[in-house]
Amino acid sequence: ELDANLGDRNPPNHVEKLSGCTFWIGHGIDDVVVSLEANAARLQREVSALGGKVILRRSAGGHSTENSEVYDDESLSKFLES
């Protein structure tokens, strides 16, 4: 259902265009709304394969809009300071 609603706006469908950017992604391992493997992990694999950089923070809990645990990580502070 998510793929049908996102259409071509889903970032993993545009890795060539995004490979020049550095990303920090926080993703709950129990997220039932957005698949970790089909989205954040895929984006990390494919962007990295093209020379880009994706920092993927996997955390306990569900979707990032309801899971503050996703953002409680030193790597986010370092990313924002860089």
mmCIF file with all atom_site columns, all heavy atoms in Angstrom, residues 60-75:
data_model
loop_
_atom_site.group_PDB
_atom_site.id
_atom_site.type_symbol
_atom_site.label_atom_id
_atom_site.label_alt_id
_atom_site.label_comp_id
_atom_site.label_asym_id
_atom_site.label_entity_id
_atom_site.label_seq_id
_atom_site.pdbx_PDB_ins_code
_atom_site.Cartn_x
_atom_site.Cartn_y
_atom_site.Cartn_z
_atom_site.occupancy
_atom_site.B_iso_or_equiv
_atom_site.pdbx_formal_charge
_atom_site.auth_seq_id
_atom_site.auth_comp_id
_atom_site.auth_asym_id
_atom_site.auth_atom_id
_atom_site.pdbx_PDB_model_num
ATOM 1   N N   . ALA A 1 60 ? 15.014 0.294  18.470 1.00 0.00 ? 60 ALA A N   1
ATOM 2   C CA  . ALA A 1 60 ? 13.834 -0.431 18.922 1.00 0.00 ? 60 ALA A CA  1
ATOM 3   C C   . ALA A 1 60 ? 12.601 0.414  18.632 1.00 0.00 ? 60 ALA A C   1
ATOM 4   O O   . ALA A 1 60 ? 12.678 1.637  18.520 1.00 0.00 ? 60 ALA A O   1
ATOM 5   C CB  . ALA A 1 60 ? 13.939 -0.716 20.417 1.00 0.00 ? 60 ALA A CB  1
ATOM 6   N N   . GLY A 1 61 ? 11.480 -0.231 18.500 1.00 0.00 ? 61 GLY A N   1
ATOM 7   C CA  . GLY A 1 61 ? 10.230 0.495  18.337 1.00 0.00 ? 61 GLY A CA  1
ATOM 8   C C   . GLY A 1 61 ? 9.748  0.583  16.910 1.00 0.00 ? 61 GLY A C   1
ATOM 9   O O   . GLY A 1 61 ? 10.322 0.001  15.996 1.00 0.00 ? 61 GLY A O   1
ATOM 10  N N   . GLY A 1 62 ? 8.688  1.342  16.751 1.00 0.00 ? 62 GLY A N   1
ATOM 11  C CA  . GLY A 1 62 ? 8.002  1.426  15.471 1.00 0.00 ? 62 GLY A CA  1
ATOM 12  C C   . GLY A 1 62 ? 8.343  2.660  14.667 1.00 0.00 ? 62 GLY A C   1
ATOM 13  O O   . GLY A 1 62 ? 9.477  3.140  14.679 1.00 0.00 ? 62 GLY A O   1
ATOM 14  N N   . HIS A 1 63 ? 7.349  3.186  13.984 1.00 0.00 ? 63 HIS A N   1
ATOM 15  C CA  . HIS A 1 63 ? 7.512  4.281  13.031 1.00 0.00 ? 63 HIS A CA  1
ATOM 16  C C   . HIS A 1 63 ? 8.108  5.520  13.695 1.00 0.00 ? 63 HIS A C   1
ATOM 17  O O   . HIS A 1 63 ? 7.777  5.866  14.828 1.00 0.00 ? 63 HIS A O   1
ATOM 18  C CB  . HIS A 1 63 ? 6.169  4.614  12.388 1.00 0.00 ? 63 HIS A CB  1
ATOM 19  C CG  . HIS A 1 63 ? 6.283  5.506  11.200 1.00 0.00 ? 63 HIS A CG  1
ATOM 20  N ND1 . HIS A 1 63 ? 6.872  5.104  10.037 1.00 0.00 ? 63 HIS A ND1 1
ATOM 21  C CD2 . HIS A 1 63 ? 5.904  6.783  11.019 1.00 0.00 ? 63 HIS A CD2 1
ATOM 22  C CE1 . HIS A 1 63 ? 6.849  6.093  9.168  1.00 0.00 ? 63 HIS A CE1 1
ATOM 23  N NE2 . HIS A 1 63 ? 6.263  7.126  9.743  1.00 0.00 ? 63 HIS A NE2 1
ATOM 24  N N   . SER A 1 64 ? 8.969  6.200  12.973 1.00 0.00 ? 64 SER A N   1
ATOM 25  C CA  . SER A 1 64 ? 9.736  7.321  13.524 1.00 0.00 ? 64 SER A CA  1
ATOM 26  C C   . SER A 1 64 ? 8.875  8.484  14.022 1.00 0.00 ? 64 SER A C   1
ATOM 27  O O   . SER A 1 64 ? 9.300  9.225  14.892 1.00 0.00 ? 64 SER A O   1
ATOM 28  C CB  . SER A 1 64 ? 10.735 7.831  12.495 1.00 0.00 ? 64 SER A CB  1
ATOM 29  O OG  . SER A 1 64 ? 10.067 8.255  11.325 1.00 0.00 ? 64 SER A OG  1
ATOM 30  N N   . THR A 1 65 ? 7.684  8.656  13.493 1.00 0.00 ? 65 THR A N   1
ATOM 31  C CA  . THR A 1 65 ? 6.842  9.765  13.957 1.00 0.00 ? 65 THR A CA  1
ATOM 32  C C   . THR A 1 65 ? 6.261  9.503  15.343 1.00 0.00 ? 65 THR A C   1
ATOM 33  O O   . THR A 1 65 ? 5.776  10.424 15.986 1.00 0.00 ? 65 THR A O   1
ATOM 34  C CB  . THR A 1 65 ? 5.687  10.041 12.976 1.00 0.00 ? 65 THR A CB  1
ATOM 35  O OG1 . THR A 1 65 ? 4.901  8.850  12.845 1.00 0.00 ? 65 THR A OG1 1
ATOM 36  C CG2 . THR A 1 65 ? 6.227  10.485 11.629 1.00 0.00 ? 65 THR A CG2 1
ATOM 37  N N   . GLU A 1 66 ? 6.318  8.259  15.787 1.00 0.00 ? 66 GLU A N   1
ATOM 38  C CA  . GLU A 1 66 ? 5.794  7.894  17.104 1.00 0.00 ? 66 GLU A CA  1
ATOM 39  C C   . GLU A 1 66 ? 6.863  7.270  17.985 1.00 0.00 ? 66 GLU A C   1
ATOM 40  O O   . GLU A 1 66 ? 6.548  6.670  19.006 1.00 0.00 ? 66 GLU A O   1
ATOM 41  C CB  . GLU A 1 66 ? 4.630  6.919  16.939 1.00 0.00 ? 66 GLU A CB  1
ATOM 42  C CG  . GLU A 1 66 ? 3.483  7.496  16.146 1.00 0.00 ? 66 GLU A CG  1
ATOM 43  C CD  . GLU A 1 66 ? 2.420  6.467  15.832 1.00 0.00 ? 66 GLU A CD  1
ATOM 44  O OE1 . GLU A 1 66 ? 2.644  5.267  16.070 1.00 0.00 ? 66 GLU A OE1 1
ATOM 45  O OE2 . GLU A 1 66 ? 1.362  6.867  15.345 1.00 0.00 ? 66 GLU A OE2 1
ATOM 46  N N   . ASN A 1 67 ? 8.132  7.391  17.598 1.00 0.00 ? 67 ASN A N   1
ATOM 47  C CA  . ASN A 1 67 ? 9.194  6.663  18.271 1.00 0.00 ? 67 ASN A CA  1
ATOM 48  C C   . ASN A 1 67 ? 10.404 7.571  18.477 1.00 0.00 ? 67 ASN A C   1
ATOM 49  O O   . ASN A 1 67 ? 11.274 7.644  17.626 1.00 0.00 ? 67 ASN A O   1
ATOM 50  C CB  . ASN A 1 67 ? 9.562  5.437  17.426 1.00 0.00 ? 67 ASN A CB  1
ATOM 51  C CG  . ASN A 1 67 ? 10.667 4.608  18.033 1.00 0.00 ? 67 ASN A CG  1
ATOM 52  O OD1 . ASN A 1 67 ? 11.099 4.848  19.146 1.00 0.00 ? 67 ASN A OD1 1
ATOM 53  N ND2 . ASN A 1 67 ? 11.132 3.637  17.293 1.00 0.00 ? 67 ASN A ND2 1
ATOM 54  N N   . SER A 1 68 ? 10.457 8.242  19.608 1.00 0.00 ? 68 SER A N   1
ATOM 55  C CA  . SER A 1 68 ? 11.575 9.156  19.858 1.00 0.00 ? 68 SER A CA  1
ATOM 56  C C   . SER A 1 68 ? 12.893 8.419  20.030 1.00 0.00 ? 68 SER A C   1
ATOM 57  O O   . SER A 1 68 ? 13.966 9.015  19.899 1.00 0.00 ? 68 SER A O   1
ATOM 58  C CB  . SER A 1 68 ? 11.286 10.032 21.082 1.00 0.00 ? 68 SER A CB  1
ATOM 59  O OG  . SER A 1 68 ? 11.150 9.225  22.241 1.00 0.00 ? 68 SER A OG  1
ATOM 60  N N   . GLU A 1 69 ? 12.855 7.133  20.287 1.00 0.00 ? 69 GLU A N   1
ATOM 61  C CA  . GLU A 1 69 ? 14.070 6.317  20.409 1.00 0.00 ? 69 GLU A CA  1
ATOM 62  C C   . GLU A 1 69 ? 14.920 6.399  19.139 1.00 0.00 ? 69 GLU A C   1
ATOM 63  O O   . GLU A 1 69 ? 16.139 6.343  19.189 1.00 0.00 ? 69 GLU A O   1
ATOM 64  C CB  . GLU A 1 69 ? 13.680 4.852  20.681 1.00 0.00 ? 69 GLU A CB  1
ATOM 65  C CG  . GLU A 1 69 ? 14.843 3.930  20.883 1.00 0.00 ? 69 GLU A CG  1
ATOM 66  C CD  . GLU A 1 69 ? 15.492 4.056  22.248 1.00 0.00 ? 69 GLU A CD  1
ATOM 67  O OE1 . GLU A 1 69 ? 14.838 4.570  23.176 1.00 0.00 ? 69 GLU A OE1 1
ATOM 68  O OE2 . GLU A 1 69 ? 16.647 3.632  22.378 1.00 0.00 ? 69 GLU A OE2 1
ATOM 69  N N   . VAL A 1 70 ? 14.269 6.568  18.015 1.00 0.00 ? 70 VAL A N   1
ATOM 70  C CA  . VAL A 1 70 ? 14.965 6.660  16.731 1.00 0.00 ? 70 VAL A CA  1
ATOM 71  C C   . VAL A 1 70 ? 15.978 7.805  16.742 1.00 0.00 ? 70 VAL A C   1
ATOM 72  O O   . VAL A 1 70 ? 17.064 7.694  16.182 1.00 0.00 ? 70 VAL A O   1
ATOM 73  C CB  . VAL A 1 70 ? 13.941 6.855  15.583 1.00 0.00 ? 70 VAL A CB  1
ATOM 74  C CG1 . VAL A 1 70 ? 14.609 7.257  14.294 1.00 0.00 ? 70 VAL A CG1 1
ATOM 75  C CG2 . VAL A 1 70 ? 13.130 5.594  15.385 1.00 0.00 ? 70 VAL A CG2 1
ATOM 76  N N   . TYR A 1 71 ? 15.645 8.898  17.393 1.00 0.00 ? 71 TYR A N   1
ATOM 77  C CA  . TYR A 1 71 ? 16.469 10.103 17.350 1.00 0.00 ? 71 TYR A CA  1
ATOM 78  C C   . TYR A 1 71 ? 17.460 10.223 18.508 1.00 0.00 ? 71 TYR A C   1
ATOM 79  O O   . TYR A 1 71 ? 18.250 11.156 18.546 1.00 0.00 ? 71 TYR A O   1
ATOM 80  C CB  . TYR A 1 71 ? 15.565 11.336 17.305 1.00 0.00 ? 71 TYR A CB  1
ATOM 81  C CG  . TYR A 1 71 ? 14.576 11.243 16.181 1.00 0.00 ? 71 TYR A CG  1
ATOM 82  C CD1 . TYR A 1 71 ? 13.246 10.925 16.426 1.00 0.00 ? 71 TYR A CD1 1
ATOM 83  C CD2 . TYR A 1 71 ? 14.989 11.419 14.868 1.00 0.00 ? 71 TYR A CD2 1
ATOM 84  C CE1 . TYR A 1 71 ? 12.344 10.812 15.375 1.00 0.00 ? 71 TYR A CE1 1
ATOM 85  C CE2 . TYR A 1 71 ? 14.093 11.304 13.819 1.00 0.00 ? 71 TYR A CE2 1
ATOM 86  C CZ  . TYR A 1 71 ? 12.767 10.996 14.090 1.00 0.00 ? 71 TYR A CZ  1
ATOM 87  O OH  . TYR A 1 71 ? 11.881 10.875 13.059 1.00 0.00 ? 71 TYR A OH  1
ATOM 88  N N   . ASP A 1 72 ? 17.408 9.299  19.435 1.00 0.00 ? 72 ASP A N   1
ATOM 89  C CA  . ASP A 1 72 ? 18.284 9.330  20.596 1.00 0.00 ? 72 ASP A CA  1
ATOM 90  C C   . ASP A 1 72 ? 19.587 8.606  20.271 1.00 0.00 ? 72 ASP A C   1
ATOM 91  O O   . ASP A 1 72 ? 19.812 7.471  20.685 1.00 0.00 ? 72 ASP A O   1
ATOM 92  C CB  . ASP A 1 72 ? 17.586 8.685  21.798 1.00 0.00 ? 72 ASP A CB  1
ATOM 93  C CG  . ASP A 1 72 ? 18.382 8.825  23.073 1.00 0.00 ? 72 ASP A CG  1
ATOM 94  O OD1 . ASP A 1 72 ? 19.249 9.715  23.143 1.00 0.00 ? 72 ASP A OD1 1
ATOM 95  O OD2 . ASP A 1 72 ? 18.136 8.031  24.000 1.00 0.00 ? 72 ASP A OD2 1
ATOM 96  N N   . ASP A 1 73 ? 20.433 9.275  19.505 1.00 0.00 ? 73 ASP A N   1
ATOM 97  C CA  . ASP A 1 73 ? 21.662 8.631  19.055 1.00 0.00 ? 73 ASP A CA  1
ATOM 98  C C   . ASP A 1 73 ? 22.722 9.688  18.790 1.00 0.00 ? 73 ASP A C   1
ATOM 99  O O   . ASP A 1 73 ? 22.438 10.728 18.186 1.00 0.00 ? 73 ASP A O   1
ATOM 100 C CB  . ASP A 1 73 ? 21.386 7.826  17.776 1.00 0.00 ? 73 ASP A CB  1
ATOM 101 C CG  . ASP A 1 73 ? 22.556 6.976  17.373 1.00 0.00 ? 73 ASP A CG  1
ATOM 102 O OD1 . ASP A 1 73 ? 22.785 5.941  18.028 1.00 0.00 ? 73 ASP A OD1 1
ATOM 103 O OD2 . ASP A 1 73 ? 23.249 7.357  16.417 1.00 0.00 ? 73 ASP A OD2 1
ATOM 104 N N   . GLU A 1 74 ? 23.927 9.412  19.216 1.00 0.00 ? 74 GLU A N   1
ATOM 105 C CA  . GLU A 1 74 ? 25.025 10.357 19.031 1.00 0.00 ? 74 GLU A CA  1
ATOM 106 C C   . GLU A 1 74 ? 25.344 10.589 17.558 1.00 0.00 ? 74 GLU A C   1
ATOM 107 O O   . GLU A 1 74 ? 25.779 11.668 17.163 1.00 0.00 ? 74 GLU A O   1
ATOM 108 C CB  . GLU A 1 74 ? 26.263 9.853  19.763 1.00 0.00 ? 74 GLU A CB  1
ATOM 109 C CG  . GLU A 1 74 ? 27.387 10.858 19.795 1.00 0.00 ? 74 GLU A CG  1
ATOM 110 C CD  . GLU A 1 74 ? 28.567 10.382 20.623 1.00 0.00 ? 74 GLU A CD  1
ATOM 111 O OE1 . GLU A 1 74 ? 28.344 9.698  21.634 1.00 0.00 ? 74 GLU A OE1 1
ATOM 112 O OE2 . GLU A 1 74 ? 29.693 10.709 20.233 1.00 0.00 ? 74 GLU A OE2 1
ATOM 113 N N   . SER A 1 75 ? 25.084 9.588  16.730 1.00 0.00 ? 75 SER A N   1
ATOM 114 C CA  . SER A 1 75 ? 25.393 9.747  15.306 1.00 0.00 ? 75 SER A CA  1
ATOM 115 C C   . SER A 1 75 ? 24.561 10.850 14.670 1.00 0.00 ? 75 SER A C   1
ATOM 116 O O   . SER A 1 75 ? 25.008 11.505 13.731 1.00 0.00 ? 75 SER A O   1
ATOM 117 C CB  . SER A 1 75 ? 25.202 8.432  14.544 1.00 0.00 ? 75 SER A CB  1
ATOM 118 O OG  . SER A 1 75 ? 23.843 8.058  14.494 1.00 0.00 ? 75 SER A OG  1
#
